[in-house]
Structures are given as C-alpha cells and as structure tokens.
Amino acid sequence: MIPAGLPFSPTPPSAQQPALLISNGTAEDLIGARLARLLRLPVRYSPLVGEGRAYAAVPGAVRVGRVLRLPSGGFPFGSLENLRADLKAGLVGESLGQWQDAVRGARGAGVVVVVGDAYALMVGTLAARRAGIPLIHVQPLLSAQYLEGLSVRGAMQELNALGANLPMPYELRLAAGAHAVFVRDAATARYYAARGVAARWAGSFAMDVLAAPERDLSRWTAGKPVLALIPGSREDHRQSLPLMLLAAARLPELAALVAWPHDWEAVSLPPGWTLDIQSETEALAVGGGVQLPVLRGAFGAIAHAADVAIGTAGTANEQLAGLGKPVVAFATSGPQFTMGFARRQGRLLGEALSVVEANPDALAAEIRALHHDGPRRARAALAGLTRIGPAGALGVIAEEVQRAAEG
C-alpha cells in the first residue's frame, strides 16, 4: 500500500528530485529536520520511531509510511523489560512494514539520507539500493570515546549496548558502501578510517541543533547562579523530576529552572508538592518551602544561562557539556538513563559529567561541591568543550546531500 499523502507520480526531468530522510529517535529527528531545512530540495521523511514531530517545522515535507510507537521510546535493548514491551507492541511486524514504506519512499528520490544507528542504516541501504540512488549516513550516536577505559568486564556488562559503543562489522560494511559518512567527533572518524571507511567529522550534531535562547530568564534568576534541571524527553522524567526538585529545594543559593519538554499533565512531583500553571509555557512547582519555575519551550535559554545542571537526558546532557556546563546525573529505572547508559555517557563526556546516587541529598551535595570548586568546574568545562566539539556539521552535510542529489 502506498503511504497516504506521498506523491509517487513520476518526477519531471526538469524538477528537483526529493531527498528521503530516514531517522530513528528524538535526537535523530531533530538533526534530520534541521538538515532538511538547509536543503534546496523537496523533502520526504521516514521516522522509524515515533511520529517525527521535529519535521513539522520543515516547509512542504511529506512523511513516508506508518508510525511506530514503542513503549521503550526507541530503546528496545535498553533492558529485557523494554524489549518485551516493544515486541508486544508489534515491533517486528511494524518494522518490516516500515522497510517496505522506505523502499517506496525512495522511488523518484535523488538521495537517501540516514540519520541514526546501524538499524536505520540497514533500512536506508535497502531503500537506496532498490532505487539506485546515493546514500549518505549521518551517525550521531557512536563515539570512539565510549571505548575509553572500557574493560573486558565492563564490556560484558554492557552487551545489550555493544552496538551502541562501537560500530559492528556489518555496520562498517554498510557504511563503506555509502556515498558519504559523517560521524560525531574526530576520534570516531579516525576509528572508521582505520577500518577502511572514509568517514568525515565536520562538527557536532548536538550543538548544531541546540536552540538559541528563546526568552529572557532574568525575572526567575534574580542574579543568582543558575541550576538547570533537565529531566529529558524520555519517560525517565517520571522518576527523575521529583528527585531533581527535592535536590533544588536544598540549594537556595542557586536559581533552579526546569526545562520541560512535555505537557503539564505529565509533570510528576514529590509527595505534597503542587503545580501552579501560569500559562502554556510557565508553571511553578511548589513545595519544600520553594517555588521552582517549570518552563516549556525554553531549553535553549536555560542551557545557555546555566552554571551547572542536573540531567537525565541523552543529547541535552551533551549539549550542556558542549557549552562548558558541568552536568550531574543519576541512573533511573529507564527506559533510557539506566546505569549502563550513565556509565556510557560518563565515558563520552569525561569530567564534564559526574554520576551520583539517585537521592536528593547526594545530588545537592555534588552540585554544591561543583559550585564551590572553581578548578574542578574549569576542568569539567574544558572536557565538555573538547569532547563534544563546536557546531557546524549540518551545513557541510547539506552541501554534500545537495551534490549527491544533483549528481
């Protein structure tokens, strides 16, 4: 069945052939959508996890195929429970259907762009080969830095994340057949090159999609140092936000701000706390003798204003670190920010990330220690800046996509 709304009439010779973007995750959708807005081409997009809402901001973009909503939020191998829930939700059958949708979506296109992991690359390779068009792979997940200090025992403890720590042989083979491959840092480009894949590093994808400050926060901060609370876009927030609020209540010397990406109905509060909704974008978490702002649509402003952060997020933690802001984290029961994920992110970010116990006292103590230790903050800032790197990749990639489509 042809996906509804997708134009499959033959492309006139004089018309521009569209780019098909395949992405599989929230961060990957953000990167794909930002890339799409830089292209001088019609855009089709195939989000393999969720609805791909980030693409709604791309004028004229057309979604290809069905929507796959997973209980794990795209982390089926994060735990056995995640995998069971996703299988029950139809992971296998719906995924096979998405492969067929991607093949159809590549018909009449000029280039396939994959933003994601080995699975997305497999889908994109199939679609590009069937259509006989170039494939460009943007790999924002793997980093050779995940291997730093990883012992054999540690690797055995993270078997479920093996393909997230380093590229598997089959991913390298698929990448070797791509027109171009872009990776997230210079260390990973060197890792690929040593294995015969001419991958390029042109800048940080995470920093490319970091929003500029959306609003003035001065009425919330009153000149105090800012503590950013980043519960993340995954369901981990239900466990992590209450702990963050309790920790912030113990730190009156800091102005705590919650960057909230969900609806107000999703806010989870500590026992006895209440949520005072001020508007569509502002609310107050009230309890423990404090009123803490919870702000929607303000992540860029909060990230840039922050002096330090508590985060249980993937890309958002990396963006804070990339701005030179130390991040304190703690493991949740999932689906994303499990202890294994926290260990991996710690290897990626080095001194920019510290992981403590999941209790308010430990969080508050770590934040206070960072706040009063200037040399440690400086080391954390340097680690984040150097390990994440500057923005600038997507402009380079857009030009490569343009050339591949036109060639």
Side-chain angles (χ1 to χ4, degrees), residues 21-29 45-55 63-76 86 91 94-95 98 101 119 234:
L21 277 77
I22 298 173
S23 51
N24 65 330
T26 302
E28 294 90 325
D29 292 345
Y45 65 97
S46 177
L48 301 180
V49 178
E51 300 177 18
R53 293 180 182 177
Y55 290 99
R63 182 173 61 79
V64 174
R66 67 205 69 194
V67 172
L68 177 57
R69 299 180 179 89
L70 297 176
S72 73
F75 291 89
D86 284 358
L91 173 63
E94 290 300 303
S95 296
Q98 286 185 325
D101 294 341
Y119 172 72
R234 308 292 184 177

Side-chain angles (χ1 to χ4, degrees), residues 246-291:
L246 290 170
R250 290 160 165 77
L251 297 164
E253 67 271 28
L254 303 179
L257 302 172
V258 180
W260 188 244
H262 309 282
D263 294 334
W264 296 133
E265 291 77 11
V267 172
S268 299
L269 299 172
W273 286 53
T274 59
L275 187 69
D276 181 5
I277 298 173
Q278 308 283 304
S279 68
E280 286 293 315
T281 58
E282 298 177 0
L284 294 173
V286 182
V290 299
Q291 297 183 9

